[in-house]
Amino acid sequence: MAVAKTCVLVLDSTDPEVLAEFYAKLLDGEARLGRHPDFIEIVGPDGTALTIQRDHGFAPPTWPRPEESQQSHLHLLVAQEDMDEAEREIISLGGRPLDTKDNGGAHDTRLYSDPGGHPFALVAREGRTAL
């Protein structure tokens, strides 16, 4: 019998409170302290889970410089017709555009960094809702 498991992405940050607020608002979720005071968990209404961990020595990845790989990044999936509205929301919450040209239709992918410098992508899901 397999052991039950849960997977969650953890982002390092020198200021986890600010980053947790950004993602809680962006994902329409709730930020709450984890079991350890250096962890803040974000839980979305659909069960999406993300954790921000305090790391005083964190240096944000650079994009697109290959010598300093981004290591991992998020894809936020939205309906294709909602891409522009989602972009406005990201920027209003403090996200920074990296490469936001409209690639058109189902292949529209736009890149940003969150307030902590982590890159993430806004990705169109043509003809249906986010998931």
Side-chain angles (χ1 to χ4, degrees):
M1 179 173 173
V3 175
K5 299 168 187 69
T6 300
C7 182
V8 63
L9 178 63
V10 178
L11 297 176
D12 293 341
S13 176
T14 57
D15 195 351
E17 294 81 7
V18 169
L19 201 55
E21 181 181 351
F22 172 81
Y23 280 109
K25 288 179 179 176
L26 185 59
L27 299 173
D28 193 27
E30 174 189 353
R32 57 184 179 222
L33 283 178
R35 292 183 182 174
H36 187 281
D38 282 342
F39 290 82
I40 301 175
E41 300 171 345
I42 293 90
V43 180
D46 64 351
T48 303
L50 176 67
T51 298
I52 313 299
Q53 171 185 319
R54 184 178 312 280
D55 178 352
H56 296 287
F58 173 73
T62 57
W63 184 91
R65 293 174 39 194
E67 66 273 11
E68 296 181 30
S69 169
Q70 64 183 341
Q71 314 231 339
S72 67
H73 66 278
L74 300 172
H75 275 198
L76 300 178
L77 309 176
V78 300
Q80 191 273 328
E81 63 270 11
D82 294 334
M83 288 290 285
D84 291 338
E85 183 178 343
E87 179 173 87
R88 287 189 294 274
E89 181 181 12
I90 288 166
I91 293 169
S92 76
L93 293 172
R96 186 172 55 89
L98 297 176
D99 183 356
T100 59
K101 65 181 174 292
D102 182 339
N103 299 303
H107 302 291
D108 193 2
T109 300
R110 305 175 193 183
L111 304 173
Y112 307 87
S113 69
D114 64 27
H118 305 94
F120 67 94
L122 185 62
V123 180
R125 304 296 286 184
E126 186 176 23
R128 59 185 200 170
T129 58
L131 284 177

